[in-house]
């Protein structure tokens, strides 16, 4: 995954949405070990002629890593006195701040729609692009900052899930005695029962299998994080939502967004799996839930969209359009393969 800073100018979010859809450029080879699993790299634009790269692999021996570079490109590096690894935004010049702010918005936006990081044409600063291309240390500090902010976005989605899970699944109504709460949560998580609405909130077996991914908790998280305010990402990138149907243009929740929400709900449920009086808080690391995330993507795309039972494409569209509609309004009408009732789906 990567994020390129190239020449151009964009003045508003609508143009940024268009730029998000462009394919990213070539990947660079070096990765910082700690961020191997999910951090993007920042690359400069390709030139018209043969590429001539001269990477500065380390600036550790320099008294000032900014020496020799245009002032416009300078950043304030961590001073090493507090153990801080990433740069501080408040210490950067306005040009760098603007670039980082937009990179964060675009990166989080693409996380919702395509899981890839976008090419941004929005900032016309070829000197910064050149500095990024030719200085590994400089590039690493900028990308680490963007990655940290995207990671915070995921953690915030999980926070919304934590707020919804305990009450909307009825966990707090189940007694802890005789492991009743532990068994209840285990049943919810078994075969991914938690993605289905329940006829009776305290009966984890009373699920409507013809309504996958329509549990009120999932819709609640979609609404709270992505659609609740005008500044929410779902509203900010409203024109990016599309329909997969050839006959109905109703907008759909993209599978990447839904998969992220479902994974955070799963993570929030795991904090109750021991059946304790209070949830057992756990760190949310994207890499820890890759398998679950991949499972949900496969379920949506392979088992629903490509279903051989009825019209899979229509069922997929109806599901994702309903999630968009209800998520926007905030109204809800161990990894195992979910048992889905495809024939019963609308």
């Amino acid at each position: 995954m990567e994020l390129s800073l190239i020449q151009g100018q964009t003045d508003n979010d609508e143009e940024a949405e268009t730029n998000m859809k462009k394919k990213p450029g070539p990947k660079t080879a070096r990765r910082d070990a700690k961020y191997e699993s999910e951090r993007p790299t920042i690359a400069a634009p390709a030139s018209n002629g043969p590429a001539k790269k001269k990477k500065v692999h380390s600036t550790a021996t320099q008294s000032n890593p900014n020496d020799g570079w245009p002032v416009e490109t300078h950043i304030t590096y961590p001073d090493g006195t507090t153990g801080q690894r990433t740069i501080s935004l408040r210490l950067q010049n306005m040009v760098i701040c603007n670039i980082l702010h937009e990179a964060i918005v675009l990166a989080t936006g693409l996380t919702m729609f395509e899981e890839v990081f976008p090419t941004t044409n929005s900032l016309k600063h070829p000197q910064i692009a050149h500095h990024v291309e030719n200085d590994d240390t400089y590039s690493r500090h900028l990308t680490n900052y963007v990655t940290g902010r995207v990671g915070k976005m995921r953690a915030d989605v999980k926070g919304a899930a934590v707020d919804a899970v305990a009450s909307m699944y009825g966990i707090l109504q189940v007694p802890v005695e005789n492991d009743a709460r532990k068994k209840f949560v285990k049943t919810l998580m078994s075969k991914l029962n938690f993605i289905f609405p329940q006829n009776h909130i305290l009966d984890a077996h009373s699920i409507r299998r013809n309504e996958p991914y329509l549990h009120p908790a999932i819709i609640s998280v979609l609404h709270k994080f992505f659609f609740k305010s005008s500044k929410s990402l779902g509203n900010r990138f409203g024109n990016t939502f599309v329909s997969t149907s050839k006959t109905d243009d109703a907008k759909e929740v993209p599978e990447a967004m839904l998969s992220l929400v479902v994974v955070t709900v799963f993570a929030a449920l795991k904090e109750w799996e021991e059946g304790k009086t209070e949830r057992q808080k756990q760190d949310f690391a994207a890499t820890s839930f890759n398998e679950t995330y991949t499972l949900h993507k496969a379920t949506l795309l392979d088992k629903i969209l490509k279903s051989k039972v009825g019209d899979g494409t229509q069922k997929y569209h109806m599901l994702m359009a309903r999630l968009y509609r209800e998520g926007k309004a905030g109204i809800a009408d161990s990894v195992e393969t979910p048992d889905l009732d495809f024939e019963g789906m609308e």
Side-chain angles (χ1 to χ4, degrees):
M1 296 186 293
E2 66 186 30
L3 179 65
S4 298
L5 299 179
I6 66 177
Q7 296 183 5
Q9 184 66 44
T10 296
D11 297 321
N12 54 53
D13 288 336
E14 184 175 350
E15 291 183 34
E17 292 169 19
T18 301
N19 293 332
M20 280 197 337
K21 299 176 183 179
K22 296 181 180 180
K23 294 182 180 179
K27 294 184 178 179
T28 53
R30 299 175 181 83
R31 303 280 183 176
D32 179 79
K34 180 179 178 180
Y35 298 89
E36 176 72 26
S37 64
E38 55 184 59
R39 79 171 180 88
T41 61
I42 295 181
S47 62
N48 293 329
K52 295 181 180 180
K53 301 179 182 180
K54 184 179 180 181
K55 282 282 188 178
V56 179
H57 299 287
S58 174
T59 56
T61 60
Q62 299 181 17
S63 59
N64 184 352
N66 289 310
D67 286 349
W69 297 101
V71 174
E72 178 189 13
T73 75
H74 288 190
I75 64 173
T76 301
Y77 290 88
D79 59 17
T81 59
T82 61
Q84 183 180 0
R85 182 180 180 85
T86 58
I87 60 175
S88 171
L89 186 65
R90 65 183 178 84
L91 298 178
Q92 310 308 319
N93 66 58
M94 188 58 66
V95 173
I96 295 297
C97 284
N98 289 340
I99 288 175
L100 289 175
H101 275 306
E102 188 183 28
I104 291 164
V105 170
L106 291 173
T108 53
L110 258 295
T111 298
M112 299 189 308
F113 291 96
E114 298 181 14
E115 291 185 281
V116 295
F117 288 85
T119 297
T120 170
N121 294 340
S122 62
L123 298 167
K124 192 174 183 179
H125 296 288
Q127 289 182 322
I128 293 176
H130 177 73
H131 195 162
V132 164
E133 174 68 8
N134 289 278
D135 187 341
D136 280 343
T137 301
Y138 184 81
S139 174
R140 185 173 69 249
H141 278 283
L142 293 179
T143 56
N144 286 354
Y145 183 82
V146 174
T147 299
R149 297 293 297 184
V150 174
K152 183 179 182 304
M153 180 273 291
R154 295 190 186 102
D156 289 343
V157 179
K158 196 245 180 165
V162 167
D163 292 341
V165 159
S167 61
M168 300 191 84
Y169 285 99
I171 294 173
L172 297 180
Q173 299 179 48
V174 180
V176 298
E177 290 77 17
N178 300 317
D179 285 338
R181 181 174 293 181
K182 183 177 182 178
K183 294 174 183 176
F184 178 76
V185 175
K186 182 178 180 180
T187 300
L188 284 174
M189 298 177 71
S190 176
K191 289 187 176 295
L192 303 186
N193 287 334
F194 72 93
I195 71 174
F196 304 96
Q198 299 161 237
N199 290 322
H200 306 286
I201 192 171
L202 297 183
D203 184 356
H205 293 284
S206 66
I207 58 179
R208 302 196 293 272
R209 291 197 176 276
N210 64 325
E211 298 181 47
Y213 298 105
L214 290 171
H215 192 282
I218 293 174
I219 294 172
S220 174
V221 177
L222 274 172
H223 173 73
K224 182 175 181 180
F225 189 84
F226 292 107
F227 296 104
K228 188 173 184 179
S229 75
S230 60
K231 294 183 179 180
S232 297
L233 288 169
N235 292 320
R236 193 166 185 175
F237 291 99
N239 292 335
T240 309
F241 291 90
V242 297
S243 171
T244 59
S245 173
K246 296 180 180 179
T247 58
D248 180 18
D249 61 0
K251 293 182 177 181
E252 304 172 7
V253 165
E255 51 84 15
M257 180 190 291
L258 178 59
S259 296
L260 173 61
V261 168
V262 175
V263 166
T264 61
V265 171
F266 178 79
L269 278 170
K270 280 186 65 67
E271 296 184 337
W272 290 99
E273 66 180 343
E274 295 302 320
K276 304 294 184 181
T277 303
E278 298 181 351
R279 72 183 181 95
Q280 307 300 298
K281 185 176 180 180
Q282 300 175 9
D283 291 334
F284 181 68
T287 53
S288 301
F289 293 91
N290 278 344
E291 188 177 2
T292 303
Y293 181 85
T294 301
L295 171 64
H296 288 292
K297 282 175 58 65
T299 300
L300 288 165
L301 299 180
D302 296 336
K303 291 199 170 185
I304 297 179
L305 181 62
K306 299 177 182 178
S307 171
K308 296 181 180 179
V309 180
D311 187 349
T313 56
Q314 179 66 8
K315 291 178 180 179
Y316 178 88
H317 170 68
M318 294 295 290
L319 169 64
M320 303 305 257
R322 179 177 172 182
L323 282 165
Y324 177 84
R325 183 175 65 253
E326 295 186 1
K328 192 172 178 64
I331 302 171
D333 203 59
S334 79
V335 180
E336 297 180 69
T337 301
D339 180 15
L340 302 182
D341 177 9
F342 294 109
E343 293 185 8
M345 287 181 65
E346 295 180 357

